[in-house]
Amino acid sequence: MVQAKSGLINAMGLPNPGIDVYAEEIKFSKTVLRIPLIVSVFGYSADEYATVAKKAVDAGADAVELNVSCPHVKQTGAEIGQSPKLLSEVVQKVKAAVNKPLIVKLSPNVADITVIAQAAVEAGADALTAVNTLKAMAIDVETGRPILSNIKGGLSGPAIKPIALRCVYDIHEEFDVPIIGCGGITDWRDAVEFFLAGASAVQVGTAIALEDTEVFQAITKGVEVYMRKKHYRSVKEIVGLAHRS
Amino acid sequence: MSASLIAANTLRTTEIVQVKTESPTVKTFIMPDRLCSKVKPGQFLMLWIPGVDEIPLSIMDASNGLVAVSVKQVGDATRHLHGLKAGETVGIRGPFGNSFTESRGRVLLLGGGTGTAPLLFLAKQLSAKTERLSFVEGAKTKDELLFIRELNGICNEKSLITTTEDGTYGLQCLVTEPLSSLLDREKFDMIYTCGPEVMVKKIFELTEQRKLPLEASLERLMRCGIGLCGSCVIGKYRVCRDGPVFTAAQLREVKDELGISKMGFDGSRIPI
Ligand SMILES: Cc1cc2nc3c(=O)[nH]c(=O)nc-3n(C[C@H](O)[C@H](O)[C@H](O)COP(=O)(O)OP(=O)(O)OC[C@H]3O[C@@H](n4cnc5c(N)ncnc54)[C@H](O)[C@@H]3O)c2cc1C
Ligand SMILES: Cc1cc2nc3c(=O)[nH]c(=O)nc-3n(C[C@H](O)[C@H](O)[C@H](O)COP(=O)(O)O)c2cc1C
Ligand code: FES
């Protein structure tokens, strides 16, 4: 983990005990949660994605989000989320395996995110999340060594917000699909910006480290106050407003 | 932690100015670091060993712009660290976590293994302020007892109890053994502990039976150190952010896990 000036670079990998252990956690979570549970799913092949997604849904997940932004073959470092063809295959397989909403979390590490978004939507994605972390690195000048043992990691936090916002805007410009905005959201203003760009919901990661878990309440409260002041009754009314000509 | 602090608290490299051998497996490393030289006992830092890894370490001492950590060699990162000498470079992130509260009156400190390091730091700060300070330290064998000379300088003879499992120094027993009678004999306003979790659990049980206040510093696998990744959870707490020091009331909330299980590198629950 690198704490960069306006964000974090992490190379967590995806430490996890596998879906069978996790299924127990999903079952337990459903007994205590009063909100929908979306499970993030990852695999090394389309079949693996489908198997894991099905097990998650069978255990009680209300929706699944496909994380396609991690290297799909370790040696090449290529991401499924960078190839419309691979992505399309994964989405179709998962869609056929589960009967719950399917969200695809897109990687910003592409030349044109709308090309990937199109592949996901055409393959059957019910919603898109934009975006995952941006590939990044940091080098210590004293020793001349990359700081992460992994050399490269993913940049998150305030540094990536303008890029994430642009990605959401671009996707909303071309497709009707619901979008979950993600990247550097730290306060209600950031959240509202994403709604205006076209997101119907937002995800918050790095801000937990900056503001701790109270950040969720602070954002929802702030959004409510903003809506009241502007006389909107629902977030739906402002989704994509920045696109009006 | 506010956004500005996280930005100010990025990794910085510093030079090791001194390496001390404390035992056959433990070495102390002293480095200049402005932020970490101002910490309170109980706080920890993330130490970057260039080209190897970054690991969480309790701060053993801090003053005059310097910070010290005492490290036991247990695996890859700590082996590389033990190979470093004065003049070589390491990186520091932190300080992180909360600290022990400063209790007055009569206090008891119980340390096991490298868990003695943050307690030595605490003892130094408390000794002038408390009415009485007692210290119990345990190790497997005499060679592994840490900081005996320093502790002797802080506690008087009667109030430093040492135990070894093989009887080569002090009492031959586990560190928890003299505790029952000590707790029955004397009154304490606060008990502090840090060490292997099985030991912490045992101490917690003894203080709970007697309804005594306790603060325990816990260890969990840590990767980010800033409350984000979830590797360090125990119950509803993240040790890096909500701890590492927990009160008896908090330990009660996590007693199903304390000394029983923790999260492993792959996120699965493993027995302690
Ligand atoms: C808040 C805190 C304070 C600590 N303070 C000290 C200290 O003052 N002195 C000291 O010697 N050790 C301390 N540790 C433990 C120290 O971090 C580990 O011994 C070290 O990370 C091991 O790295 P390694 O690569 O040498 O060993 P590995 O080969 O990686 O593992 C050896 C053992 O160390 C444990 N471990 C490995 N990585 C971590 C990690 N990132 N966090 C926690 N445990 C880990 C493993 O579970 C394993 O049992 C502390 C840990 C925490 C969480
Ligand atoms: C420590 C850390 C771990 C992450 N792990 C995952 C993950 O397992 N799956 C995933 O889809 N995204 C993961 N992300 C990416 C975040 O979900 C998010 O897309 C990204 O960090 C940008 O949002 P933020 O700026 O609010 O953090 C991780 C991010 C961080 C910082
Ligand atoms: S180490 Fe990442 S949450 Fe505590």
Side-chain angles (χ1 to χ4, degrees):
Chain A
M1 176 76 66
V2 180
Q3 295 176 208
K5 287 214 172 72
S6 49
L8 299 174
I9 309 173
N10 89 84
M12 297 289 300
L14 292 165
N16 77 92
I19 185 64
D20 293 325
V21 175
Y22 204 57
E24 295 307 312
E25 241 175 89
I26 296 171
K27 282 181 200 154
F28 172 75
S29 303
K30 285 304 290 177
T31 66
V32 290
L33 279 181
R34 278 166 295 152
I35 51 171
L37 174 67
I38 303 172
V39 173
S40 169
V41 164
F42 165 76
Y44 285 101
S45 67
D47 286 323
E48 198 179 6
Y49 269 101
T51 310
V52 177
K54 181 164 188 323
K55 285 189 179 176
V57 167
D58 289 347
D62 298 296
V64 289
E65 183 188 78
L66 305 185
N67 175 8
V68 292
S69 325
C70 272
H72 97 108
V73 180
K74 277 187 182 131
Q75 287 78 5
T76 67
E79 298 173 8
I80 289 178
Q82 289 171 332
S83 153
K85 190 168 154 284
L86 282 174
L87 181 63
S88 172
E89 189 197 335
V90 168
V91 173
Q92 280 173 18
K93 278 246 164 85
V94 176
K95 190 70 193 161
V98 302
N99 56 359
K100 288 277 157 106
L102 172 56
I103 308 160
V104 178
K105 184 167 185 178
L106 302 179
S107 166
N109 303 314
V110 293
D112 181 355
I113 197 160
T114 61
V115 173
I116 308 293
Q118 181 172 10
V121 170
E122 283 173 0
D126 298 298
L128 302 176
T129 300
V131 292
N132 213 311
T133 53
L134 275 88
K135 254 200 193 142
M137 72 180 293
I139 298 171
D140 170 55
V141 295
E142 210 52 56
T143 53
R145 284 181 189 272
I147 296 176
L148 293 170
S149 336
N150 202 45
I151 299 176
K152 281 174 268 182
L155 178 65
S156 63
I160 73 167
K161 196 196 87 181
I163 300 168
L165 194 67
R166 183 266 299 162
C167 289
V168 169
Y169 190 93
D170 282 353
I171 298 167
H172 187 79
E173 188 78 18
E174 298 205 17
F175 307 102
D176 268 341
V177 67
I179 305 165
I180 302 173
C182 177
I185 297 167
T186 309
D187 58 25
W188 67 266
R189 279 173 200 280
D190 296 335
V192 168
E193 264 190 84
F194 275 84
F195 295 142
L196 294 170
S200 331
V202 292
Q203 274 179 24
V204 174
T206 303
I208 301 169
L210 305 173
E211 311 282 340
D212 216 348
T213 44
E214 286 92 57
V215 71
F216 296 104
Q217 233 191 357
I219 290 176
T220 47
K221 281 244 170 73
V223 170
E224 271 168 32
V225 172
Y226 170 83
M227 305 283 291
R228 222 176 300 131
K229 212 175 88 197
K230 294 278 190 181
H231 306 294
Y232 294 120
R233 273 157 298 151
S234 155
V235 168
K236 283 185 191 138
E237 292 176 36
I238 65 168
V239 172
L241 263 194
H243 292 259
R244 77 194 144 188
S245 45
Chain B
M1 192 188 311
S2 72
S4 58
L5 184 56
I6 210 168
N9 199 1
T10 52
L11 181 112
R12 58 269 178 193
T13 41
T14 180
E15 226 173 64
I16 299 170
V17 291
Q18 199 189 343
V19 182
K20 281 197 247 175
T21 300
E22 307 283 2
S23 84
T25 57
V26 176
K27 283 186 182 178
T28 295
F29 300 84
I30 303 174
M31 290 86 50
D33 187 69
R34 198 176 45 82
L35 284 172
C36 285
S37 68
K38 293 180 196 149
V39 299
K40 296 205 179 105
Q43 292 191 275
F44 67 96
L45 53 77
M46 296 295 290
L47 192 78
W48 179 59
I49 302 131
V52 185
D53 205 353
E54 195 188 34
I55 59 170
L57 295 167
S58 298
I59 291 165
M60 186 272 264
D61 205 357
S63 63
N64 302 325
L66 296 174
V67 61
V69 290
S70 295
V71 189
K72 186 175 169 117
Q73 184 176 327
V74 296
D76 195 38
T78 48
R79 182 166 42 79
H80 277 89
L81 180 57
H82 269 235
L84 297 185
K85 295 180 190 60
E88 293 193 89
T89 302
V90 290
I92 293 180
R93 254 192 324 135
F96 298 119
N98 64 0
S99 53
F100 293 105
T101 57
E102 273 192 14
S103 177
R104 313 266 146 148
R106 296 170 178 216
V107 299
L108 172 64
L109 287 70
L110 297 136
T114 50
T116 311
L119 292 183
L120 171 64
F121 187 17
L122 178 66
K124 279 184 193 165
Q125 300 222 329
L126 287 183
S127 63
K129 296 172 184 157
T130 50
E131 188 184 319
R132 171 142 189 208
L133 188 147
S134 305
F135 206 110
V136 184
E137 190 198 348
K140 283 205 170 62
T141 178
K142 182 182 177 214
D143 283 349
E144 289 295 334
L145 274 174
L146 298 171
F147 315 122
I148 290 299
R149 204 165 36 83
E150 289 87 341
L151 288 172
N152 263 319
I154 295 169
C155 311
N156 61 41
E157 219 173 286
K158 266 209 344 258
S159 49
L160 175 64
I161 302 173
T162 46
T163 66
T164 51
E165 286 174 38
D166 64 1
T168 44
Y169 194 89
L171 306 171
Q172 179 173 9
C173 56
L174 291 173
V175 64
T176 46
E177 226 147 282
L179 189 57
S180 293
S181 63
L182 191 62
L183 293 180
D184 292 334
R185 216 169 50 231
E186 292 183 43
K187 189 186 156 296
F188 294 102
D189 297 299
M190 180 56 86
I191 296 156
Y192 301 99
T193 187
C194 184
E197 207 165 301
V198 178
M199 168 192 131
V200 171
K201 179 184 162 70
K202 183 84 198 145
I203 291 167
F204 174 60
E205 285 164 3
L206 291 171
T207 56
E208 283 294 275
Q209 285 162 13
R210 296 165 176 80
K211 300 195 166 50
L212 293 169
L214 174 71
E215 286 187 7
S217 174
L218 301 182
E219 274 186 22
R220 277 288 181 279
L221 188 65
M222 282 184 188
R223 269 184 266 244
C224 75
I226 52 178
L228 202 54
C229 72
S231 334
C232 67
V233 291
I234 178 165
K236 65 174 186 182
Y237 296 112
R238 289 158 298 168
V239 173
C240 70
R241 185 91 184 206
D242 306 310
V245 178
F246 292 92
T247 63
Q250 291 174 310
L251 296 177
R252 249 169 256 146
E253 296 173 304
V254 301
K255 66 174 186 302
D256 293 345
E257 285 181 46
L258 184 70
I260 296 168
S261 68
K262 63 175 181 182
M263 203 136 58
F265 278 108
D266 70 354
S268 61
R269 203 143 277 294
I270 53 173
I272 285 177

